[in-house]
Amino acid sequence: MLTIYPAESRYTSDHGWLKTSHSFSFADYYDPANMGFGPMRVLNDDIVQPSKGFGRHPHREMEIVSIVLKGQLEHTDSTGSTEIIRSGDVQRMSAGTGVIHSEMNPSPTEEVNFLQLWFEPEERGLTPSYEQVSYNKSELKDQLRPIVSKELGDNVAHIHQDMTIYLSELTAGGSLDFEGSPSRNVFLFVIEGDIRVEHEHIMHTRDSARISELASLRIESDTGAFFMLIDLPA
């Protein structure tokens, strides 16, 4: 089963300092039929203007991943972490029993574009924690590069859920195969470019797909593409 959600089907709002698109119910957008996909609860595509951002606010019992696509993001939280996240950086924060944090654009001139993803953890009551890793774009060429996973690895952020987030950059004419399990789900999100899934399903920039009951996937691109694939429980 494969369902494509075009980019324009997302809920989008413009607050001046923030332009955001929600793939799932979030904040002012509520659709009881679109509350998540497996343990995945949020995918927000945010553009924050210079010197603006999300001030200090609390979270509990959620695994939060931020992937910066352009610009830089300053993260501070009540665990004592203060970091600047740039393009090529990935942040994982386990809110656990409770954390207060802020996400601000420290640049006075450049906007920041980042993806924020929320997942339910496998267990509740975790101690809040923070982790930041980096990847080199050359590691994405025509292959799936894990950036967040329950499985430990070099420059892979650890998440408290049975899942893995991959990034990939297909070259023009490139292709790859993902070997999964029919008992699990796959979420696809095209960051830039166009891809073709299973030889027939065309996806464009910012389109997403929710896939279940498929053991493997063939992903191709005629012109090149940058995309995210998430393997997660059903």
Side-chain angles (χ1 to χ4, degrees), residues 129-214:
S129 62
Y130 171 91
E131 185 179 7
Q132 182 173 327
V133 299
S134 300
Y135 64 89
N136 190 308
K137 273 212 164 186
S138 64
E139 301 171 338
L140 312 181
K141 296 292 185 183
D142 294 324
Q143 60 184 333
L144 291 167
R145 201 292 199 180
I147 56 168
V148 178
S149 182
K150 183 180 179 180
E151 302 297 324
L152 299 178
D154 293 338
N155 285 321
V156 178
H158 179 254
I159 194 166
H160 301 93
Q161 180 55 265
D162 181 21
M163 54 167 287
T164 301
I165 302 175
Y166 300 90
L167 292 179
S168 180
E169 192 173 82
L170 285 179
T171 55
S175 65
L176 58 82
D177 294 294
F178 173 72
E179 299 298 329
S181 166
S183 64
R184 292 176 64 82
N185 287 343
V186 172
F187 183 88
L188 275 176
F189 183 75
V190 182
I191 299 170
E192 294 177 2
D194 303 300
I195 63 174
R196 185 170 57 256
V197 184
E198 289 295 281
H199 308 293
E200 58 177 325
H201 304 283
I202 306 300
M203 297 176 63
H204 307 289
T205 298
R206 263 43 178 197
D207 288 354
S208 64
R210 302 177 199 183
I211 304 165
S212 57
E213 301 176 3
L214 286 178

Side-chain angles (χ1 to χ4, degrees), residues 4-10 12 21 23 43 45 47 69 113 115 187-197 201-209 220-221 223-228:
I4 293 176
Y5 294 78
E8 57 270 21
S9 71
R10 299 178 299 171
T12 297
S21 295
S23 294
L43 171 55
D45 184 359
I47 298 174
L69 303 177
N113 180 205
L115 304 177
F187 183 88
L188 275 176
F189 183 75
V190 182
I191 299 170
E192 294 177 2
D194 303 300
I195 63 174
R196 185 170 57 256
V197 184
H201 304 283
I202 306 300
M203 297 176 63
H204 307 289
T205 298
R206 263 43 178 197
D207 288 354
S208 64
E220 305 163 289
S221 180
T223 56
F226 179 29
F227 70 94
M228 175 174 66

Side-chain angles (χ1 to χ4, degrees), residues 12-201:
T12 297
S13 57
D14 190 341
H15 303 279
W17 66 273
L18 166 69
K19 184 175 182 180
T20 182
S21 295
H22 305 328
S23 294
F24 300 98
S25 292
F26 186 86
D28 295 335
Y29 166 52
Y30 175 71
D31 178 354
N34 191 28
M35 299 301 294
F37 187 54
M40 188 175 183
R41 289 292 173 263
V42 170
L43 171 55
N44 292 347
D45 184 359
D46 291 338
I47 298 174
V48 178
Q49 295 304 303
S51 303
K52 302 293 183 180
F54 304 92
R56 289 172 60 82
H57 58 283
H59 289 296
R60 294 175 61 89
E61 306 298 355
M62 200 64 67
E63 300 287 292
I64 300 173
V65 175
S66 297
I67 303 171
V68 174
L69 303 177
K70 174 187 175 184
Q72 52 187 324
L73 192 67
E74 182 177 46
H75 166 94
T76 62
D77 66 48
S78 52
T79 71
S81 298
T82 299
E83 300 285 349
I84 300 292
I85 313 162
R86 298 177 175 84
S87 177
D89 293 337
V90 179
Q91 165 195 295
R92 186 273 306 161
M93 184 176 70
S94 297
T97 54
V99 66
I100 297 173
H101 79 133
S102 65
E103 305 286 349
M104 306 295 293
N105 181 356
S107 172
T109 59
E110 183 183 18
E111 66 185 21
V112 59
N113 180 205
F114 69 104
L115 304 177
Q116 185 170 115
L117 305 95
W118 294 12
F119 304 90
E120 293 180 348
E122 281 187 307
E123 58 180 301
R124 298 173 70 85
L126 296 169
T127 300
S129 62
Y130 171 91
E131 185 179 7
Q132 182 173 327
V133 299
S134 300
Y135 64 89
N136 190 308
K137 273 212 164 186
S138 64
E139 301 171 338
L140 312 181
K141 296 292 185 183
D142 294 324
Q143 60 184 333
L144 291 167
R145 201 292 199 180
I147 56 168
V148 178
S149 182
K150 183 180 179 180
E151 302 297 324
L152 299 178
D154 293 338
N155 285 321
V156 178
H158 179 254
I159 194 166
H160 301 93
Q161 180 55 265
D162 181 21
M163 54 167 287
T164 301
I165 302 175
Y166 300 90
L167 292 179
S168 180
E169 192 173 82
L170 285 179
T171 55
S175 65
L176 58 82
D177 294 294
F178 173 72
E179 299 298 329
S181 166
S183 64
R184 292 176 64 82
N185 287 343
V186 172
F187 183 88
L188 275 176
F189 183 75
V190 182
I191 299 170
E192 294 177 2
D194 303 300
I195 63 174
R196 185 170 57 256
V197 184
E198 289 295 281
H199 308 293
E200 58 177 325
H201 304 283

